[in-house]
Amino acid sequence: MLNEETLYARFISGELSQKEIESLKANGDWDKLSKIAEFTGELELPSFDTKRGFDVLVERKNERTKSEPRVINFKLWLGIAACFLLFTTTWMWFSSSTTNVISPYGQTAQLVLPDDSKVILNAGSTVEYQKESWDSNRKVLLDGEAFFKVSPGNSFEVETALGSVNVLGTEFNVKARVERFEVECYEGKVQVNRNLEKLTLSSNEAIYDENLNVVQIQEETRQPSWMKGRSDFSNYPLLDVLRELERQYDIKVICQENPSFTGSFSHGNLKLATEQISKSLGLNVIISKDRKEVQFTK
Amino acid sequence: MSENICEQVSFGKVYFKHAEHLRNFLYYKSGDLHLAEDITQDAFSKLWEKCDEVVFSKAKSFLFTIANNLFLNKVKRNKVSLKFIKQTNRNFDKKDPQYLMEEKEFKSRLEKVISELPETQREVFLMNRIDGMKYKEIAALLGVSVKAIEKRMHKALKVLKNEIGDV
């Protein structure tokens, strides 16, 4: 086969054709590769102390500038003073303003907060926080869906339009989309506040619905499905599933039907994803030529 | 509009965005964490020296190229032995000790096989698996085609699959 020499690479990026998937499954490679992908996806390196590294660089640079002999004249000094003024004002402006991180449709984004807490944003999401007062005010505004790995410390709050989550050091996922407010806690404890109701989730517990019913999640689940390159749904209205499809692929979806859907779709291969959704519901799919619009019909 | 990276604020942005990826990249090549961090710092120093000539959007590929050159000139190639942290499962007590042992075994074999991959395959594989970079990004940073990256990735996975796939 022509593409044989990139086959496994495309397994990882989710770009295999249906036929290739079937042949991998048939000869047992699918399971082996899945295990390797899963295991290597969880590997990490010790983190690099970039705060210190940057200070060292600044110091190095200052020393270098000092050691360079230079003829100093009045004009130059005036210039330096003006630059310095400009620089400090920009710095102050930067450091006092709110920091925004946005992941556009079709992409995820990662950020590391000043205390080394990590946030990974699913497609089409925004977080906002105050960098300068972070240590005294660990609060993140979230619109969309994100996974949090919080460093131990003072209270850490995730505020959304639909409710808020308070935590100490822990790992959890918050989904605050127009249609849903969901929280999955993988480690530690989180407190969920919604519509004046408060409840505490322990590790491997989650809420998915309006009534804040606590559900057990599988112990093996250490991450939300979207971080593993797919989106999982259990008894979801199809239209909500399709909103997620729009966010993952930066497309427009048209659909008149709204049955309930249980299953998942992969990220990284639009055709495969639409088939995964449509097959089980007996729907037909039309993908426009420019791959910007998808229609589901009966 | 291009941002001037000579300014400390912009330079800091570039640094905090790319320093860890660059350090990781150098670790995959050398297997030496200290060396990787030293070369990272040197590459950034070079970038700051040349900041007038490099635009913001090109900073990342400049850094990887410089770092790669520094690495090639400085380092006598040794056999590498890479170590990783695996996100630990904290519910240890609930788990079957047999399973935990097998998992540990699997991890150490994995580290060994990855360490023994040829450098070009190893760096591509780990830039994708640990840094989460897309093949297109890796291709741009290493200055080769996406197809070449996919081939290296395929070969790396093939070795891994044959060596440890059935554990």
Side-chain angles (χ1 to χ4, degrees):
Chain A
M1 210 188 293
L2 196 68
N3 288 324
E4 193 73 29
E5 54 194 355
T6 62
L7 185 67
Y8 298 160
R10 289 179 292 108
F11 166 85
I12 295 283
S13 59
E15 291 167 297
L16 294 177
S17 69
Q18 195 62 44
K19 212 172 144 198
E20 288 170 322
I21 292 175
E22 275 156 21
S23 79
L24 281 180
K25 281 190 172 159
N27 69 13
D29 283 355
W30 181 273
D31 289 338
K32 292 179 185 173
L33 290 168
S34 298
K35 183 164 185 197
I36 290 168
E38 189 195 340
F39 221 86
T40 53
E42 290 171 2
L43 294 177
E44 280 179 12
L45 286 175
S47 69
F48 181 32
D49 190 349
T50 47
K51 261 189 229 162
R52 223 191 96 234
F54 188 62
D55 290 345
V56 169
L57 271 186
V58 172
E59 220 168 88
R60 238 197 240 184
K61 185 181 188 229
N62 291 342
E63 257 165 41
R64 201 169 47 229
T65 344
K66 249 189 261 160
S67 63
E68 276 166 19
R70 218 185 20 215
V71 184
I72 295 171
N73 61 31
F74 179 69
K75 258 191 186 162
L76 181 66
W77 270 109
L78 204 66
I80 291 173
C83 281
F84 183 72
L85 198 68
L86 187 69
F87 174 70
T88 30
T89 25
T90 348
W91 177 255
M92 279 162 65
W93 184 78
F94 263 105
S95 56
S96 66
S97 62
T98 307
T99 308
N100 270 297
V101 177
I102 298 165
S103 58
Y105 275 27
Q107 282 176 38
T108 58
Q110 282 198 40
L111 84 143
V112 177
L113 294 165
D115 61 356
D116 265 353
S117 295
K118 290 201 172 87
V119 185
I120 304 175
L121 297 177
N122 196 357
S125 304
T126 311
V127 294
E128 196 181 300
Y129 67 98
Q130 302 288 339
K131 204 180 218 163
E132 129 235 42
S133 59
W134 179 255
D135 289 339
S136 56
N137 180 23
R138 297 207 299 171
K139 185 170 169 180
V140 172
L141 302 179
L142 167 71
D143 179 16
E145 179 166 16
F147 170 83
F148 294 86
K149 187 171 177 180
V150 177
S151 302
N154 300 329
S155 165
F156 183 107
E157 184 175 4
V158 180
E159 196 177 295
T160 78
L162 302 174
S164 69
V165 180
N166 276 74
V167 290
L168 297 166
T170 178
E171 293 178 16
F172 60 102
N173 185 61
V174 179
K175 178 167 184 175
R177 303 291 194 189
V178 180
E179 68 276 4
R180 313 286 291 207
F181 179 60
E182 302 178 355
V183 181
E184 284 182 342
C185 176
Y186 309 107
E187 194 190 303
K189 275 191 164 59
V190 302
Q191 188 187 67
V192 180
N193 312 305
R194 171 144 206 227
N195 303 337
L196 302 173
E197 265 190 88
K198 269 188 190 173
L199 92 165
T200 306
L201 295 180
S202 304
S203 59
N204 302 317
E205 289 182 342
I207 53 146
Y208 296 110
D209 60 9
E210 292 285 311
N211 308 325
L212 301 184
N213 287 326
V214 177
V215 180
Q216 286 289 323
I217 50 180
Q218 280 185 351
E219 224 170 86
E220 310 312 316
T221 316
R222 307 300 305 172
Q223 290 176 335
S225 58
W226 60 267
M227 283 172 65
K228 299 173 195 150
R230 53 166 214 270
S231 294
D232 290 353
F233 304 91
S234 171
N235 272 321
Y236 243 67
L238 178 64
L239 293 179
D240 290 351
V241 174
L242 298 179
R243 293 293 87 77
E244 188 62 35
L245 188 71
E246 290 186 328
R247 287 190 287 262
Q248 290 304 333
Y249 288 96
D250 193 9
I251 50 166
K252 178 108 195 62
V253 176
I254 300 166
C255 180
Q256 305 291 340
E257 316 296 324
N258 195 16
S260 133
F261 175 78
T262 298
S264 60
F265 70 75
S266 327
H267 304 169
N269 183 338
L270 179 61
K271 191 159 173 284
L272 179 64
T274 55
E275 277 170 10
Q276 287 164 337
I277 296 170
S278 62
K279 279 256 168 71
S280 64
L281 299 171
L283 297 173
N284 298 312
V285 185
I286 306 161
I287 301 178
S288 70
K289 269 204 181 121
D290 62 2
R291 302 179 79 81
K292 282 280 152 210
E293 201 175 289
V294 175
Q295 202 172 350
F296 286 82
T297 55
K298 227 175 191 166
Chain B
M1 198 191 77
S2 69
E3 215 166 326
N4 182 357
I5 54 170
C6 293
E7 217 197 298
Q8 191 163 331
V9 176
S10 307
F11 190 81
K13 272 197 215 165
V14 175
Y15 186 83
F16 290 114
K17 202 165 165 208
H18 304 312
E20 190 151 343
H21 285 320
L22 188 61
R23 192 278 313 250
N24 292 357
F25 168 67
L26 290 160
Y27 179 63
Y28 307 149
K29 290 174 102 61
S30 66
D32 181 338
L33 211 53
H34 284 290
L35 180 86
E37 294 184 358
D38 283 350
I39 298 183
T40 301
Q41 294 291 88
D42 290 346
F44 274 98
S45 277
K46 273 263 156 55
L47 176 67
W48 217 343
E49 276 171 40
K50 305 248 179 222
C51 62
D52 282 325
E53 299 156 36
V54 183
V55 295
F56 193 81
S57 59
K58 291 274 182 294
K60 190 176 189 186
S61 58
F62 177 89
L63 282 165
F64 275 75
T65 312
I66 289 286
N68 206 3
N69 294 345
L70 287 172
F71 175 76
L72 291 175
N73 291 325
K74 244 187 199 177
V75 179
K76 212 173 81 211
R77 305 302 180 85
N78 292 322
K79 253 176 110 178
V80 302
S81 161
L82 299 175
K83 292 271 169 276
F84 307 102
I85 308 169
K86 184 179 175 288
Q87 293 178 2
T88 37
N89 238 318
R90 275 165 239 208
N91 299 320
F92 265 19
D93 44 352
K94 290 181 196 160
K95 280 230 169 123
D96 172 17
Q98 172 80 21
Y99 173 86
L100 285 173
M101 227 170 70
E102 278 168 15
E103 196 175 73
K104 214 174 138 200
E105 178 116 328
F106 183 81
K107 182 182 168 256
S108 73
R109 283 184 68 185
L110 190 71
E111 280 178 343
K112 187 163 173 284
V113 179
I114 290 175
S115 298
E116 286 166 358
L117 287 172
E119 190 180 307
T120 53
Q121 293 173 24
R122 188 170 65 228
E123 66 193 17
V124 169
F125 181 75
L126 293 171
M127 284 164 99
N128 172 273
R129 301 314 297 150
I130 294 187
D131 301 277
M133 291 189 196
K134 302 251 158 68
Y135 302 150
K136 210 172 132 190
E137 275 175 85
I138 302 172
L141 289 175
L142 301 184
V144 296
S145 69
V146 176
K147 184 90 177 178
I149 297 296
E150 287 182 336
K151 283 187 195 168
R152 291 178 194 178
M153 187 74 183
H154 173 83
K155 282 187 187 152
L157 281 159
K158 198 169 169 184
V159 174
L160 284 164
K161 190 198 72 162
N162 292 339
E163 295 285 323
I164 54 171
D166 27 60
V167 176

